[in-house]
Every structure is written in structure tokens, then in C-alpha cells.
Amino acid sequence: MTAKKSTRQFKAEISQLLEIITHSIYTNREIFLRELVSNASDALDKLRFLQSSGAALADPDAPLEIRLSPDKDARTLTITDTGIGMTREELVENIGTIAHSGSAEFMRRAAEQGGAGADSIIGRFGVGFYSVFMVADEVRITTRSADPAAAPVRWTSSGTGSYTIEDLDADAPRGTSIEISLKEDTADFADPDRLREIIRAHSNFIGFPILLAGERVNTTPALWREPKFQIKKEQYDEFYSFLTYDSKPPLEHLHVAVDAPVQFTGLLFIPDAPSGSFFEDPDNYGLDLYVRRVLIDRRHKELIPQYLGFLRGLVDTEDLPLNLSRETLQENLLVGKIRQTLTKQALAMLAKLAEDQERYATFWRHHGKVLKLGYSDYAHRDQFAALLRFNASTHDDASGLTSLADYKARAKDGQTAIYYISGPSREAVRLNPHLEIFTQRGIEVLYCFEPADEFILDSLGTFDGMTLTPAEKADPADLERFPAQDADAPKDSPEADPADPEAFEAMLAAAKDTLGERVKDVRASRRLKDSPACLVSPDGAMSSQMEKYLRIMTKDTTPPLKVMELNRDHPLVRNLLRIHKNDGADAFFRTSVEQLYESALLLDGYLADPHALVARVNKLLEQASGWYAEIKRL
Ligand code: ADP
């Protein structure tokens, strides 16, 4: 038999990939070893599967293992496995084409970021076998398929444009041997100490022995495969820091072992650090997916819903095939079932964590924003609602947090709603006129500082029999059933209750007439205590904040149609009543009504152009200072 030797060109996309790989500068070239070891482990897994199916194999008694053979003098590193090997056709198919999505993803990202990003991209995704060209001048693959009829083959390439492939006459042991001639500046990968360190960092949990100078390097077992009761907290912490490189131990861990409907183990952690980067890159979340201890995909998104995206960790299952592409994984029903189970368990873990108020507050500060995205998970609505926390009027400062259940427990006898109010900060919310009646009646109000809060409460609708109601939409009659708290609550003084209700009604009508189509109505307020006026949404309309977000999205800048309410007990309004009673056409009255309306718009964030308001204020001040000077006889 003569050895067929031929030289072939790489497919264009591989040449392109190799071009990037060979010409980038890397800080973590070491991951090439993780990729090759993981391929070797894959090949061993496939072999084990064949073995169990009883097929006839080449070298049936060879031990299943991976060997690293560095040679400092020759500046080579050889990685040998006794796995399934490859036939000539397989070799061409697997190594000569770009079948796996890891490389496709790499190419896309590399194109987006230019060469500069290649380092971090390779670090994050790996590019499989080709990453070897970060460190290699030349690579020789010698492989012999487990199929006893197949002949050994050799593949050689320097990673530039072409490769050669030849059949070998001599016999070769089953499996694959990858001999790397290291580049001059990567000679340290022939150093056993360095190799040991890399294997421990990246390939510690490979299920087959990785041998170096006759010694097994991967001695740490896959923690998640061990019975929970045998694992100490330190081991979990150590594993977490291995997984995330976080210096702080995790806030909490969740170790799941499930047999039905899917067999899998999961080891999940809540980092004790803000998930700040989540919102910069909200698609970068997920759990590492292992199939029989072999890493299939890092941060696989289908394993947890996005709102649990703060979780770090891994899932290992026996029930998925090894060589699944990312695309088929997405549609995989088993993966969906794993997600369901993990979601339930993670929510239960959070409920348990919530029993420790202080630790839960830490969790909420770190990850609350991400968790809030769960309002759309209707299947877990109740568990989700129980995990929400809000700052509220009962707290001393913005750091206080309450759950909806605690609010309910504190609610007044007969109170059937949980009230909430929105604003950018505690200071802003506390100046909101709509809060006044609640303060007066001692009714707690939840503060919503984030746009999402109102969507969440609105979409929940109710909590444990209480309706969730925006403060501005509360019916004052409902609130007046509760006695006023403070001593200086408005008495029904003759002034407060205008002796002449008809005159007050006439003034309201004149105010409406002044504002015209800009307001739906002008009416007396029962909710105001310290402010002269406020705007409320007409009955049935959506709440102000909600409306505001929609308007931002549609870029609508016209003020919305509101009802203006006037506080009949406020001195300013009482003065206006006197002025209007005296002369229904008084210009000062009309200017003041305009001013009250625009001030309310300004407070609610609707005033697009302040020029008219400022001009009017100046005019009013001009008049007021004139009168002041006159009174003082200056
Ligand atoms: P990936 O491992 O992501 O599929 P690689 O480029 O690393 O991509 O490898 C491509 C294919 O080559 C593998 O899917 C596998 O079929 C084959 N292969 C790589 N290394 C080995 C090996 N040591 N033994 C057997 N087959 C291998």
C-alpha cells in the first residue's frame, strides 16, 4: 500500500479565521489547551458510548485517558487521547471545514470588533481546534479511528492557507495525537508546571484522567456530581471562585440534582456583587452547559430565564447528546424542561433567602433590577410578587425596603389597596401633591423610582387580595374613611368651606374656560393638603408614569389631557376665589390659573418649553413687587 499524500487549500472562511488567529496578540493563549483537551474528552466520551453499544473497536483494551507530552528541547507539546479517532473522511470533514457555530460566532464578533477584540473573544467563546494556531508554528494530527477497518491518517498544517493529508502505512494506536511545534514566544507551553496550572484552571472537571509525566493532573472531582450532604460551604465557595474568578464568596448557592423529567445536576450561585454589566450586555447571561462533564456551551441562555440572569453556574446532564449545535440546543425540549425546573428552584431559593432580611436586601441591591424583568413570567406570578421590594413612605430614608406582604400586614383596617407613587427620587416623590392625602391620613405608599416598577405593579394588578393602585388614581372618598393623623388637619372652617359654594363652582368654570382644551376639567380637590393644584388622569386613563413612557417611546411632546384639581383650603386658591367673585373677567385671575396649570405640568415633567412660564412668573413678580413697594410706602 502506498501512502497517499495530498495538499489541500482551507475553505475561505477557515483561512479568514486562521488569519485572525495567527495575527492577533493574545494575553490568554493558554485556552488552546482547554479546547484540545475538551476535544479529546469528547472523543473519549464517544468511544465510551461505542464501547457500551458493544461495537468492535480498535485497541479495545487501551485505557481511556489523555496524555500531555511536552518536550522543552524540541519545543513541542503533544496531546494524545485514546478516544474515537477520525477516519480520513472525518478528518477532512471536521478539521477542514467550519461546521461549528463557535467559529461562526467568533468570525462575526471579530468582524464587529476588528482584530483588537480577538483576544477576549477567543477567551470567551473558544474557537475549537483552530485556537492551536495561537501557539503553533506547525501542527501534526495523527489519528486512528476506533473502526478496526480504518487506516491511520496524518494531517499537517502551519495554519496558512493549506494543509496536507496522508494515509500512514505503519500501524498507530487508536485515538488522536496532536503534535504542536510551538512558536518561539510560546515555548512555555512545553513547561510541565505551566501545563499543570492551565489544566487545573480550565479542565479540572474532565471526567477522564489527564496525565502529565505519568501523573494525573485533574484531581479535583466535579463538585456538582457529589452528594450535597458531603459538600462543605468552603468547597462551594472555592468552586465558585474557580468558576467566576470573583474574589468574594457568593451570596448563596443552589445545588440541584434531578432525575425526572430530565436527569441533570445544576450548581448555581448568586454573586455577591452588582450585576451591573447585565444591562450593558443583556444577552450575555446563562449557565455553562455540560453534557457528561464535557463543556458544551458557556453561558447558555436557554437554561434560565433572563430575569434570573444574575445567576452563575452550570448544568450537567446525561440526557443530551454531546455534539449538539447551539441552534439545535435552542429548540431542545429537554433544555426547556431543565429551565422550568431551575426557575422553580431558583425562585424557591430566593424566597428562602428573603427570610434573612439583611442578606436579601444585599441581593436586592445587587440584582433587583434584573429580577424585576420577571414580571412577564405569568406562570410564577405569585412567587415573583413575593420577591419584590420597594422603598416606601414608612421608611426613614431611601435605603429602606418593604415587601408587598409587609405592606399588607401594616395596612389599615379595611384598606383594600396597596398604593404606589412614581418619581425619579425619594425627594421628588415626597413633593408630589398626590402624596399629600396619604400623608395626612397616615396611609403607606410605595415609592417607585424606576420606570420598570410601575409596569410591574400595573401588570400584577393585585397582590394577595389587595389591588395595586397608583396614588393619583386613588378615590379620595376611600382614603377619607381613615382619620386624619396630624393635628393641623384642615378643619371645616368657614374659609375652608366656601360660604358660597356657587361662587367656588363659578371660579372652577372660569378656570376651565381659561385653560380651554388644555384640560379635561377643573374641579375641587380632596387629595391636596399643602399644594394649591395638581393634575390627575381622567378616570379610566392609564397612570401618568405609564403614559410618560409611552410618550417617550412615541416621541410625543404635547402635554396629555388631564383634570386640574384645585385645593380649596389653600390660601392661594382662596385669594383667587375672592378675586374672581369680585370680577369674573379679572386678568390677574386668568394669569394665575395659567401659572398654576403650567407649574403642575412642570412638576409632572410635561412642560416642554419653560419660556412662557418664566415670562409669566416675572410679570407676576413685577406686579407683586410693585404692590409690595406701595404697601410699604417705599
Ligand atoms: P468543536 O469541538 O467545537 O466541534 P473543533 O474545531 O474543536 O470544534 O473540532 C471539530 C471537530 O473535529 C470535532 O467536532 C470532532 O468531530 C473533531 N475532533 C477534534 N479533535 C478531535 C479528537 N481529539 N478526536 C476525535 N475527533 C476530534
Side-chain angles (χ1 to χ4, degrees), residues 39-40 42-43 46 81 84-86 94-95 100 127-130 176:
N39 280 352
D42 257 346
K46 289 175 190 163
D81 66 69
I84 194 165
M86 284 176 273
N94 294 339
I95 305 294
H100 72 309
V127 281
F129 169 76
Y130 305 103
T176 303

Side-chain angles (χ1 to χ4, degrees), residues 127-170:
V127 281
F129 169 76
Y130 305 103
S131 60
V132 73
F133 288 105
M134 289 192 284
V135 300
D137 274 336
E138 189 178 77
V139 178
R140 279 171 300 283
I141 307 176
T142 308
T143 181
R144 157 87 193 276
S145 165
D147 177 353
V153 222
R154 174 165 297 162
W155 179 101
T156 313
S157 179
S158 57
T160 48
S162 66
Y163 62 93
T164 64
I165 191 157
E166 64 186 304
D167 293 329
L168 296 183
D169 281 335

Side-chain angles (χ1 to χ4, degrees), residues 188-210:
D188 58 322
F189 294 116
D191 174 2
D193 289 338
R194 177 96 171 90
L195 292 172
R196 220 169 268 124
E197 178 199 323
I198 300 169
I199 293 293
R200 294 218 169 108
H202 296 295
S203 311
N204 222 357
F205 304 107
I206 295 293
F208 301 96
I210 303 173

Side-chain angles (χ1 to χ4, degrees), residues 436 525 528-533 565-570 573:
E436 290 170 6
S525 183
L528 293 175
K529 182 168 167 282
D530 301 320
S531 305
E565 288 194 355
L566 294 179
N567 179 357
R568 66 168 83 204
D569 299 322
H570 196 281
V573 177

Side-chain angles (χ1 to χ4, degrees), residues 379-394:
H380 300 103
R381 214 172 151 267
D382 293 347
Q383 293 100 307
F384 171 76
L387 294 172
L388 291 172
R389 294 294 179 272
F390 295 91
N391 190 237
S393 55
T394 40

Side-chain angles (χ1 to χ4, degrees), residues 139 178 491:
V139 178
I178 298 180
K491 311 273 175 329

